[in-house]
Amino acid sequence: MRIPAHSVCTAIRDDIVSGVYERGSRLTEELLARRYGVSRVPVREALRTLESEGFVVTRRHAGACVAEPTVQEAADLLEVRTLLEPLGAARAAQRRTEAHLKVLRGLVRLGQERARRGEGEDLRLLGGWFHETLAQASGSPGLIALLTQLRHKIAWMYAVEQPARPVDAWAERGAIVDAVARGDAERARVLTAQHAERVTGAHRLRRPDLPGRRTAPVPRVSTSQHGVNTAGVRH
């Protein structure tokens, strides 16, 4: 069985985002292959993909290392998101399916319920699913890919504070869904732009001292080994 490179890529990216590998730390093919229980071939392909996404850089005499984004690069990500998410919502108003609407409405209903109960961790997950579904409803593969990559990188660089009134935040999302359901692309765009602008203020850099250290010879890796999820891989 050959483990596809995209499965290895997802596993490495998730560990970078969660902080298993520190910024600037080396990512050797041998270590990664052993950690994820794969050969070096899919690891090599995965590192190339992650370099194109901005999570990994190749340095002379050091090889592949976790990238060290600057404060400006981090800020740019939030600005790009405030431009792309409204575009995605406008496209969703024109291309959404009934299945998309059902999921979006269900997420808003759950979000409002959890917000009233003050269940913050659930709200973070639901918010992520909401915006992922809204992007999927745009029907634009290129836009979906860009927004997905933005979400990964923003989660890597920023911690997000819960809004003082989470019920209001979910009311905003509900209004976006209403506009999408009516096919009102301009209204969906404006509401999403306003929502994106408000939530941007809740983002706090995980490393205020970015870009930080330039090198780190050995990555900090949790002691538990875990293989790549091979569900759905053909034998």
Side-chain angles (χ1 to χ4, degrees), residues 30-171:
E30 182 181 1
L31 180 149
L32 296 173
R34 187 166 62 249
R35 175 172 172 78
Y36 301 110
V38 298
S39 73
R40 294 173 66 166
V41 174
V43 167
R44 191 174 303 126
E45 294 178 28
L47 289 175
R48 283 198 291 265
T49 298
L50 291 169
E51 184 168 16
S52 71
E53 294 179 354
F55 288 98
V56 170
V57 295
T58 300
R59 293 183 180 144
R60 189 177 181 182
H61 305 311
C65 301
V66 179
E68 297 180 271
T70 66
V71 171
Q72 185 59 60
E73 288 169 339
D76 287 346
L77 290 176
L78 294 180
E79 185 174 0
V80 170
R81 189 181 67 173
T82 63
L83 298 173
L84 292 185
E85 282 192 343
L87 174 60
R91 292 278 178 85
Q94 299 166 331
R95 302 174 180 177
R96 90 295 185 279
T97 65
E98 288 302 316
H100 289 133
L101 285 178
K102 183 177 181 180
V103 173
L104 288 168
R105 284 171 171 152
L107 288 169
V108 169
R109 184 172 60 253
L110 284 173
Q112 290 172 334
E113 291 174 358
R114 300 295 192 275
R116 285 192 291 269
R117 297 176 189 171
E119 298 174 4
E121 191 58 40
D122 284 351
L123 291 178
R124 274 187 283 268
L125 292 172
L126 290 171
W129 293 338
F130 175 87
H131 291 288
E132 181 177 344
T133 304
L134 188 61
Q136 292 288 336
S138 73
S140 173
L143 185 56
I144 294 167
L146 285 171
L147 286 169
T148 298
Q149 189 178 135
L150 274 174
R151 279 194 297 274
H152 287 314
K153 295 185 81 171
I154 289 171
W156 175 37
M157 298 181 195
Y158 289 94
V160 183
E161 299 173 352
Q162 283 298 312
R165 292 182 55 81
V167 173
D168 292 345
W170 281 96

Side-chain angles (χ1 to χ4, degrees), residues 128-232:
W129 293 338
F130 175 87
H131 291 288
E132 181 177 344
T133 304
L134 188 61
Q136 292 288 336
S138 73
S140 173
L143 185 56
I144 294 167
L146 285 171
L147 286 169
T148 298
Q149 189 178 135
L150 274 174
R151 279 194 297 274
H152 287 314
K153 295 185 81 171
I154 289 171
W156 175 37
M157 298 181 195
Y158 289 94
V160 183
E161 299 173 352
Q162 283 298 312
R165 292 182 55 81
V167 173
D168 292 345
W170 281 96
E172 292 174 2
R173 293 186 175 106
I176 293 169
V177 175
D178 289 342
V180 168
R182 292 195 305 271
D184 189 340
E186 180 58 21
R187 181 66 174 163
R189 185 193 66 77
V190 170
L191 290 174
T192 304
Q194 292 172 347
H195 177 74
E197 192 69 34
R198 275 192 280 272
V199 300
T200 292
H203 288 69
R204 298 289 178 265
L205 280 172
R206 294 185 184 278
R207 283 278 302 277
D209 61 332
L210 290 174
R213 293 181 298 113
R214 300 307 305 169
T215 59
V218 181
R220 177 175 59 83
V221 180
S222 60
T223 56
S224 61
Q225 295 285 330
H226 65 276
V228 173
N229 182 357
T230 59

